[in-house]
C-alpha cells in the first residue's frame, strides 16, 4: 500500500505540480492506519490527512474482535485467551499500525472522522 501512496503522491507533486499542502490523503479503517503510517514516514511532506473510523492500535481492535468472529462469548475465559493470543500475533506479524502515534507524526493538516 505504501508503494501505491508514493506513486500517487509522486504523480501529483512532480507530474501535475500540485503543492503538497493542497494534497489530502483520506483513509477509512485500516486505510487510515496505512495513510497515517505513510505520512509519518514522510514528515517533509506537509500533506493533509483524514482518518475515517480508524483505530489507535491494530492489536487492540483485533484482540477485541477475534472472539466475536469465532462466536466465543466475550466475557468468557476462552475469549480472554483468544484476545491475548490475537493481539500478540498482530504485534509479532508487524501489523501493529500504531495509528495514533503515526497520526501525530504527520506534519500537514489533520482531522479524525468518526460517526456512530
Amino acid at each position: 500500500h505504501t508503494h501505491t501512496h508514493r506513486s500517487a503522491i509522486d504523480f501529483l507533486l512532480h507530474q501535475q505540480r500540485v503543492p503538497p499542502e493542497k494534497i489530502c490523503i483520506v483513509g477509512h479503517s485500516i486505510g487510515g492506519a496505512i495513510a497515517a503510517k505513510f505520512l509519518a514516514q514522510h514528515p517533509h511532506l506537509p500533506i493533509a490527512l483524514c482518518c475515517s473510523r480508524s483505530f489507535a492500535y491494530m492489536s487492540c481492535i483485533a484482540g477485541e474482535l477475534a472472539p466475536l468472529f469465532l462466536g466465543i462469548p466475550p466475557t468468557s475465559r476462552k475469549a480472554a485467551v483468544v484476545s491475548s493470543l490475537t493481539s500478540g500475533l498482530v504485534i509479532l506479524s508487524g501489523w501493529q499500525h500504531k495509528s495514533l502515534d503515526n497520526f501525530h507524526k504527520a506534519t500537514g493538516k489533520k482531522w479524525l472522522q468518526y460517526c456512530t
Side-chain angles (χ1 to χ4, degrees), residues 2-18 20 23-25 38-39 42 44-45 47-48:
T2 302
H3 178 69
T4 304
H5 279 102
R6 186 76 230 176
S7 297
I9 297 302
D10 283 344
F11 173 77
L12 291 172
L13 291 172
H14 303 296
Q15 291 186 18
Q16 298 297 310
R17 301 197 191 288
V18 177
I23 299 172
C24 179
I25 297 178
F38 172 80
L39 289 176
H42 298 90
H44 61 285
L45 296 173
I47 294 173

Side-chain angles (χ1 to χ4, degrees), residues 26-97:
V26 179
H28 179 76
S29 190
I30 195 165
I34 291 169
K37 182 177 181 179
F38 172 80
L39 289 176
Q41 293 171 342
H42 298 90
H44 61 285
L45 296 173
I47 294 173
L49 169 64
C50 175
C51 291
S52 169
R53 295 187 67 117
S54 197
F55 46 82
Y57 299 100
M58 177 67 106
S59 60
C60 294
I61 196 73
E64 284 184 37
L65 294 178
L68 298 174
F69 287 142
L70 297 172
I72 300 170
T75 57
S76 69
R77 177 76 183 127
K78 189 175 183 179
V81 171
V82 167
S83 179
S84 293
L85 286 172
T86 303
S87 294
L89 288 172
V90 167
I91 292 168
L92 289 173
S93 72
W95 273 82
Q96 174 63 325
H97 289 296

Side-chain angles (χ1 to χ4, degrees), residues 47-51 102-112:
I47 294 173
L49 169 64
C50 175
C51 291
N102 288 329
F103 184 83
H104 290 296
K105 292 177 186 175
T107 57
K109 294 179 181 178
K110 302 173 264 195
W111 67 97
L112 295 172

